[in-house]
Amino acid sequence: MNTILSLLILVCIAVLRESGASVVSLGDFNKGFYITWSPSHVETTPDGQNRNLALDQNSGCGFASNDTFLSGRFSMKIRLVPVNSAGTVVSFYMSTLEARQDELDFEFLGDVEGKLYTLQTNVFVDGVGNREQRLRLWFDPTKDFHTYSILWNTYQIVFFVDSVPIRTFRNHQDKGVPYPTTQMGLWASIWNGEDWATNGGQTKINWAGAPFVASYKSPKVTACVVDGDPMGCFSQTPEYWWNSQSLNSLNWLQRRLYKWARKYYLNYDYCEDYARFNYKLPKECSLTKY
Protein backbone atom coordinates (compact mmCIF):
# COMPACT_ATOMS: atom_id res chain seq x y z
CA MET A 1 0.00 0.00 0.00
CA ASN A 2 2.84 2.42 0.84
CA THR A 3 4.45 1.69 -2.53
CA ILE A 4 1.21 2.45 -4.37
CA LEU A 5 0.73 5.67 -2.42
CA SER A 6 4.27 6.77 -3.17
CA LEU A 7 3.75 6.11 -6.87
CA LEU A 8 0.54 8.15 -6.86
CA ILE A 9 2.33 11.08 -5.21
CA LEU A 10 5.11 10.92 -7.77
CA VAL A 11 2.56 10.88 -10.60
CA CYS A 12 0.80 13.94 -9.15
CA ILE A 13 4.12 15.81 -8.87
CA ALA A 14 5.01 14.89 -12.44
CA VAL A 15 1.66 16.12 -13.73
CA LEU A 16 2.09 19.45 -11.95
CA ARG A 17 5.58 19.86 -13.34
CA GLU A 18 4.41 19.13 -16.86
CA SER A 19 1.57 21.60 -16.45
CA GLY A 20 4.08 24.37 -15.78
CA ALA A 21 2.48 25.34 -12.48
CA SER A 22 4.62 26.00 -9.43
CA VAL A 23 4.22 27.49 -5.97
CA VAL A 24 6.19 30.59 -5.02
CA SER A 25 6.58 32.35 -1.69
CA LEU A 26 7.59 36.01 -1.74
CA GLY A 27 8.68 38.02 1.27
CA ASP A 28 11.36 40.47 0.07
CA PHE A 29 10.64 43.75 -1.75
CA ASN A 30 14.12 43.77 -3.28
CA LYS A 31 13.81 40.29 -4.77
CA GLY A 32 10.15 39.73 -5.58
CA PHE A 33 9.03 43.19 -6.73
CA TYR A 34 10.07 46.04 -9.04
CA ILE A 35 9.35 49.77 -8.91
CA THR A 36 6.78 50.71 -11.54
CA TRP A 37 7.15 54.50 -11.48
CA SER A 38 8.94 57.38 -9.77
CA PRO A 39 11.74 55.47 -7.99
CA SER A 40 12.88 58.70 -6.32
CA HIS A 41 9.70 58.53 -4.23
CA VAL A 42 10.31 54.94 -3.07
CA GLU A 43 12.46 54.04 -0.07
CA THR A 44 13.28 50.41 0.78
CA THR A 45 15.28 49.03 3.70
CA PRO A 46 18.38 46.97 2.82
CA ASP A 47 16.80 43.75 4.10
CA GLY A 48 13.85 44.20 1.71
CA GLN A 49 11.26 43.98 4.49
CA ASN A 50 10.04 47.59 4.58
CA ARG A 51 9.12 50.02 1.81
CA ASN A 52 7.81 53.60 1.98
CA LEU A 53 5.87 55.24 -0.85
CA ALA A 54 5.69 59.03 -0.98
CA LEU A 55 3.30 61.43 -2.72
CA ASP A 56 4.07 65.09 -3.35
CA GLN A 57 2.96 67.68 -5.92
CA ASN A 58 5.36 66.22 -8.48
CA SER A 59 4.42 62.57 -8.36
CA GLY A 60 3.15 59.50 -6.59
CA CYS A 61 4.84 56.12 -7.01
CA GLY A 62 4.28 52.39 -7.00
CA PHE A 63 5.67 48.88 -7.25
CA ALA A 64 4.56 45.47 -8.54
CA SER A 65 5.48 41.80 -8.29
CA ASN A 66 7.89 40.28 -10.78
CA ASP A 67 5.58 37.29 -11.21
CA THR A 68 1.93 36.97 -12.13
CA PHE A 69 -0.27 34.46 -10.33
CA LEU A 70 -3.33 32.28 -10.81
CA SER A 71 -4.74 31.62 -7.32
CA GLY A 72 -3.15 31.91 -3.90
CA ARG A 73 -3.03 33.97 -0.71
CA PHE A 74 -1.65 37.52 -0.88
CA SER A 75 -0.95 39.67 2.20
CA MET A 76 0.69 42.97 2.98
CA LYS A 77 1.15 44.93 6.19
CA ILE A 78 0.39 48.62 5.58
CA ARG A 79 0.49 51.77 7.69
CA LEU A 80 -1.46 54.57 6.05
CA VAL A 81 -0.79 58.30 5.64
CA PRO A 82 -1.26 60.06 9.01
CA VAL A 83 -2.89 63.36 10.00
CA ASN A 84 -4.60 65.10 7.04
CA SER A 85 -4.66 62.53 4.23
CA ALA A 86 -7.65 63.96 2.34
CA GLY A 87 -7.45 63.42 -1.40
CA THR A 88 -4.75 60.76 -1.21
CA VAL A 89 -5.27 57.16 -2.35
CA VAL A 90 -3.13 54.29 -1.12
CA SER A 91 -3.64 51.00 -2.94
CA PHE A 92 -2.84 47.31 -2.71
CA TYR A 93 -4.35 45.26 -5.49
CA MET A 94 -4.09 42.48 -8.04
CA SER A 95 -4.46 43.12 -11.75
CA THR A 96 -3.75 41.75 -15.20
CA LEU A 97 -1.93 43.72 -17.88
CA GLU A 98 -4.61 43.07 -20.48
CA ALA A 99 -7.22 45.47 -21.86
CA ARG A 100 -10.07 43.28 -20.55
CA GLN A 101 -8.52 43.08 -17.14
CA ASP A 102 -9.34 41.14 -14.04
CA GLU A 103 -8.61 43.13 -10.90
CA LEU A 104 -9.08 42.86 -7.13
CA ASP A 105 -8.69 46.18 -5.30
CA PHE A 106 -7.95 47.50 -1.85
CA GLU A 107 -8.06 51.32 -2.06
CA PHE A 108 -7.62 53.42 1.07
CA LEU A 109 -9.26 56.81 0.69
CA GLY A 110 -7.78 59.50 2.89
CA ASP A 111 -9.72 62.10 4.87
CA VAL A 112 -9.18 65.14 7.05
CA GLU A 113 -7.62 64.69 10.47
CA GLY A 114 -9.99 63.13 13.00
CA LYS A 115 -12.13 61.22 10.50
CA LEU A 116 -11.98 57.49 9.93
CA TYR A 117 -10.35 56.14 6.79
CA THR A 118 -12.58 54.68 4.09
CA LEU A 119 -11.54 51.36 2.59
CA GLN A 120 -12.95 50.76 -0.90
CA THR A 121 -12.81 47.32 -2.52
CA ASN A 122 -13.69 46.50 -6.09
CA VAL A 123 -13.75 43.47 -8.37
CA PHE A 124 -13.17 43.67 -12.12
CA VAL A 125 -13.83 40.70 -14.38
CA ASP A 126 -13.23 40.83 -18.16
CA GLY A 127 -12.75 44.58 -17.93
CA VAL A 128 -16.01 45.26 -16.07
CA GLY A 129 -15.91 46.70 -12.56
CA ASN A 130 -18.64 48.81 -10.95
CA ARG A 131 -18.61 46.49 -7.94
CA GLU A 132 -17.46 48.97 -5.29
CA GLN A 133 -18.01 48.42 -1.61
CA ARG A 134 -16.85 50.88 1.05
CA LEU A 135 -16.49 50.64 4.78
CA ARG A 136 -14.99 52.73 7.55
CA LEU A 137 -12.08 51.04 9.28
CA TRP A 138 -12.77 50.41 12.97
CA PHE A 139 -9.25 51.39 14.04
CA ASP A 140 -6.72 54.10 13.23
CA PRO A 141 -4.68 52.59 10.36
CA THR A 142 -2.05 55.33 10.63
CA LYS A 143 -0.81 54.39 14.13
CA ASP A 144 0.42 50.90 13.37
CA PHE A 145 0.65 48.29 10.64
CA HIS A 146 -2.38 46.15 9.82
CA THR A 147 -2.55 43.17 7.50
CA TYR A 148 -4.64 43.31 4.33
CA SER A 149 -5.09 40.02 2.46
CA ILE A 150 -6.75 38.44 -0.54
CA LEU A 151 -7.58 34.75 -0.78
CA TRP A 152 -8.24 33.67 -4.36
CA ASN A 153 -9.11 30.09 -5.19
CA THR A 154 -11.47 28.23 -7.46
CA TYR A 155 -14.36 28.64 -4.99
CA GLN A 156 -14.20 32.22 -3.79
CA ILE A 157 -12.31 35.47 -3.39
CA VAL A 158 -12.13 36.84 0.16
CA PHE A 159 -10.83 40.26 1.23
CA PHE A 160 -9.48 40.33 4.80
CA VAL A 161 -8.55 43.14 7.18
CA ASP A 162 -6.32 41.45 9.72
CA SER A 163 -8.33 38.26 10.38
CA VAL A 164 -11.72 39.80 9.56
CA PRO A 165 -13.28 38.90 6.19
CA ILE A 166 -14.92 42.10 4.97
CA ARG A 167 -15.97 40.96 1.51
CA THR A 168 -16.47 37.82 -0.55
CA PHE A 169 -16.95 37.22 -4.26
CA ARG A 170 -17.97 33.64 -4.91
CA ASN A 171 -17.44 31.63 -8.06
CA HIS A 172 -20.94 31.54 -9.55
CA GLN A 173 -19.87 30.87 -13.12
CA ASP A 174 -22.40 28.05 -13.26
CA LYS A 175 -25.09 30.72 -12.77
CA GLY A 176 -23.75 33.07 -15.43
CA VAL A 177 -21.63 35.33 -13.20
CA PRO A 178 -18.10 35.97 -14.52
CA TYR A 179 -15.19 35.08 -12.22
CA PRO A 180 -11.51 36.09 -12.43
CA THR A 181 -9.54 33.35 -14.19
CA THR A 182 -6.56 35.17 -15.69
CA GLN A 183 -3.09 35.62 -14.23
CA MET A 184 -2.69 38.73 -12.12
CA GLY A 185 0.28 40.56 -10.68
CA LEU A 186 0.40 42.18 -7.25
CA TRP A 187 0.56 45.98 -7.25
CA ALA A 188 0.79 48.84 -4.75
CA SER A 189 0.83 52.62 -5.12
CA ILE A 190 0.10 56.03 -3.67
CA TRP A 191 -1.41 58.71 -5.87
CA ASN A 192 -3.41 61.91 -6.14
CA GLY A 193 -7.12 61.08 -6.09
CA GLU A 194 -8.42 64.45 -4.96
CA ASP A 195 -10.90 64.65 -7.84
CA TRP A 196 -13.00 61.86 -6.29
CA ALA A 197 -11.51 60.18 -3.20
CA THR A 198 -12.75 62.42 -0.35
CA ASN A 199 -16.32 63.71 -0.18
CA GLY A 200 -16.80 63.02 -3.87
CA GLY A 201 -13.85 65.25 -4.73
CA GLN A 202 -15.00 68.24 -2.69
CA THR A 203 -12.11 67.99 -0.22
CA LYS A 204 -8.75 68.54 -1.92
CA ILE A 205 -5.21 67.67 -0.92
CA ASN A 206 -3.51 70.15 1.40
CA TRP A 207 -0.04 70.12 -0.15
CA ALA A 208 1.40 71.90 2.88
CA GLY A 209 1.42 68.44 4.50
CA ALA A 210 3.49 66.81 1.74
CA PRO A 211 5.19 64.47 1.37
CA PHE A 212 2.45 62.00 2.24
CA VAL A 213 4.00 58.65 3.12
CA ALA A 214 2.43 55.19 3.26
CA SER A 215 4.50 52.33 4.64
CA TYR A 216 4.43 48.71 3.50
CA LYS A 217 6.17 45.77 5.11
CA SER A 218 6.34 41.99 5.31
CA PRO A 219 4.85 41.04 1.95
CA LYS A 220 3.62 37.48 2.14
CA VAL A 221 2.63 35.75 -1.07
CA THR A 222 2.02 32.04 -1.38
CA ALA A 223 0.62 31.49 -4.84
CA CYS A 224 0.70 29.61 -8.12
CA VAL A 225 2.85 30.83 -11.00
CA VAL A 226 1.92 29.53 -14.44
CA ASP A 227 4.36 28.57 -17.13
CA GLY A 228 2.25 26.50 -19.50
CA ASP A 229 -1.07 24.79 -18.78
CA PRO A 230 -2.79 26.72 -15.94
CA MET A 231 -4.81 23.75 -14.66
CA GLY A 232 -2.11 22.87 -12.15
CA CYS A 233 -2.97 26.05 -10.23
CA PHE A 234 -6.29 24.51 -9.23
CA SER A 235 -4.76 21.36 -7.78
CA GLN A 236 -5.95 20.30 -4.32
CA THR A 237 -2.66 18.77 -3.26
CA PRO A 238 -1.20 19.97 0.09
CA GLU A 239 1.26 22.23 -1.73
CA TYR A 240 -1.71 24.19 -3.09
CA TRP A 241 -3.37 24.46 0.32
CA TRP A 242 -5.51 27.50 -0.61
CA ASN A 243 -7.55 25.28 -2.99
CA SER A 244 -8.53 22.81 -0.28
CA GLN A 245 -12.17 21.99 0.38
CA SER A 246 -11.84 23.54 3.85
CA LEU A 247 -11.47 26.95 2.13
CA ASN A 248 -14.46 26.63 -0.18
CA SER A 249 -16.45 28.96 2.09
CA LEU A 250 -16.11 31.04 5.25
CA ASN A 251 -16.03 29.04 8.45
CA TRP A 252 -18.47 29.76 11.28
CA LEU A 253 -16.21 32.30 13.05
CA GLN A 254 -15.40 34.10 9.81
CA ARG A 255 -19.10 34.36 9.05
CA ARG A 256 -19.72 36.04 12.39
CA LEU A 257 -16.88 38.50 11.81
CA TYR A 258 -18.06 39.18 8.26
CA LYS A 259 -21.56 40.03 9.48
CA TRP A 260 -20.18 42.21 12.29
CA ALA A 261 -17.95 44.28 10.01
CA ARG A 262 -20.66 44.83 7.46
CA LYS A 263 -23.38 45.61 9.99
CA TYR A 264 -21.43 48.31 11.80
CA TYR A 265 -18.94 49.70 9.27
CA LEU A 266 -20.19 49.20 5.71
CA ASN A 267 -21.42 52.49 4.24
CA TYR A 268 -21.76 51.65 0.54
CA ASP A 269 -22.54 48.45 -1.34
CA TYR A 270 -23.17 48.42 -5.09
CA CYS A 271 -25.63 45.58 -4.48
CA GLU A 272 -27.86 48.03 -2.60
CA ASP A 273 -27.62 50.85 -5.13
CA TYR A 274 -30.76 50.12 -7.13
CA ALA A 275 -30.89 53.51 -8.84
CA ARG A 276 -27.36 53.14 -10.18
CA PHE A 277 -28.32 49.97 -12.03
CA ASN A 278 -31.81 51.13 -13.03
CA TYR A 279 -33.28 48.64 -10.52
CA LYS A 280 -31.60 45.69 -12.27
CA LEU A 281 -28.82 44.70 -9.90
CA PRO A 282 -25.94 42.51 -11.11
CA LYS A 283 -26.77 38.83 -10.87
CA GLU A 284 -24.26 38.06 -8.12
CA CYS A 285 -26.11 40.40 -5.76
CA SER A 286 -28.91 37.87 -5.29
CA LEU A 287 -26.64 34.84 -4.88
CA THR A 288 -24.98 33.36 -1.79
CA LYS A 289 -21.98 35.18 -0.37
CA TYR A 290 -20.45 32.18 1.42
Side-chain angles (χ1 to χ4, degrees):
M1 181 64 71
N2 288 337
T3 301
I4 294 174
L5 180 59
S6 297
L7 287 172
L8 287 173
I9 292 173
L10 288 173
V11 169
C12 287
I13 293 173
V15 168
L16 288 175
R17 286 177 176 168
E18 288 181 4
S19 73
S22 60
V23 174
V24 297
S25 295
L26 304 179
D28 188 325
F29 287 118
N30 290 325
K31 295 179 180 178
F33 300 84
Y34 67 97
I35 297 172
T36 53
W37 54 299
S38 194
S40 62
H41 288 61
V42 179
E43 180 182 28
T44 309
T45 56
D47 63 3
Q49 293 301 301
N50 295 268
R51 174 165 283 178
N52 290 339
L53 301 185
L55 167 69
D56 58 25
Q57 284 183 285
N58 295 316
S59 181
C61 57
F63 63 89
S65 60
N66 295 327
D67 293 315
T68 57
F69 313 99
L70 187 61
S71 77
R73 174 86 181 216
F74 312 85
S75 298
M76 189 78 70
K77 293 182 182 294
I78 306 173
R79 185 175 60 208
L80 299 179
V81 176
V83 194
N84 185 357
S85 58
T88 67
V89 179
V90 175
S91 68
F92 170 56
Y93 63 103
M94 302 189 66
S95 182
T96 65
L97 294 174
E98 302 172 9
R100 295 181 61 81
Q101 89 271 23
D102 290 349
E103 188 167 305
L104 309 173
D105 293 338
F106 278 112
E107 291 181 317
F108 303 91
L109 312 183
D111 213 324
V112 297
E113 185 175 3
K115 287 197 174 183
L116 296 175
Y117 254 88
T118 293
L119 168 56
Q120 175 171 282
T121 60
N122 203 351
V123 175
F124 287 75
V125 188
D126 292 334
V128 178
N130 298 325
R131 297 183 176 94
E132 298 92 346
Q133 293 183 1
R134 300 187 196 104
L135 57 77
R136 292 286 194 180
L137 293 172
W138 50 92
F139 52 85
D140 185 344
T142 72
K143 298 297 185 183
D144 203 352
F145 287 89
H146 289 266
T147 303
Y148 305 91
S149 308
I150 296 171
L151 170 68
W152 173 30
N153 62 28
T154 189
Y155 312 107
Q156 62 176 349
I157 293 162
V158 186
F159 294 79
F160 291 90
V161 174
D162 293 324
S163 59
V164 179
I166 61 163
R167 179 176 187 169
T168 64
F169 189 82
R170 289 199 62 77
N171 187 346
H172 287 302
Q173 287 180 299
D174 59 333
K175 298 178 177 65
V177 178
Y179 189 76
T181 56
T182 56
Q183 299 175 58
M184 291 189 275
L186 194 63
W187 304 72
S189 62
I190 184 171
W191 50 283
N192 179 352
E194 66 177 3
D195 59 337
W196 68 276
T198 308
N199 297 326
Q202 296 182 51
T203 304
K204 305 298 184 181
I205 293 178
N206 179 2
W207 293 109
F212 303 98
V213 178
S215 301
Y216 296 73
K217 77 172 185 177
S218 305
K220 188 174 181 181
V221 176
T222 306
C224 184
V225 174
V226 180
D227 183 18
D229 184 352
M231 290 308 297
C233 288
F234 301 107
S235 167
Q236 293 187 6
T237 59
E239 188 179 20
Y240 296 77
W241 56 265
W242 57 86
N243 287 324
S244 68
Q245 282 287 336
S246 64
L247 294 175
N248 69 353
S249 185
L250 302 183
N251 62 37
W252 70 270
L253 177 58
Q254 289 173 334
R255 294 181 186 191
R256 290 176 65 107
L257 292 171
Y258 172 87
K259 291 177 180 178
W260 168 81
R262 296 175 70 81
K263 178 179 180 180
Y264 293 105
Y265 297 99
L266 187 73
N267 58 17
Y268 178 80
D269 183 351
Y270 75 106
C271 281
E272 297 176 357
D273 195 342
Y274 289 89
R276 177 183 181 184
F277 296 100
N278 197 24
Y279 295 89
K280 295 180 181 178
L281 293 175
K283 185 176 292 186
E284 67 266 18
C285 293
S286 62
L287 299 175
T288 57
K289 303 298 185 290
Y290 46 77

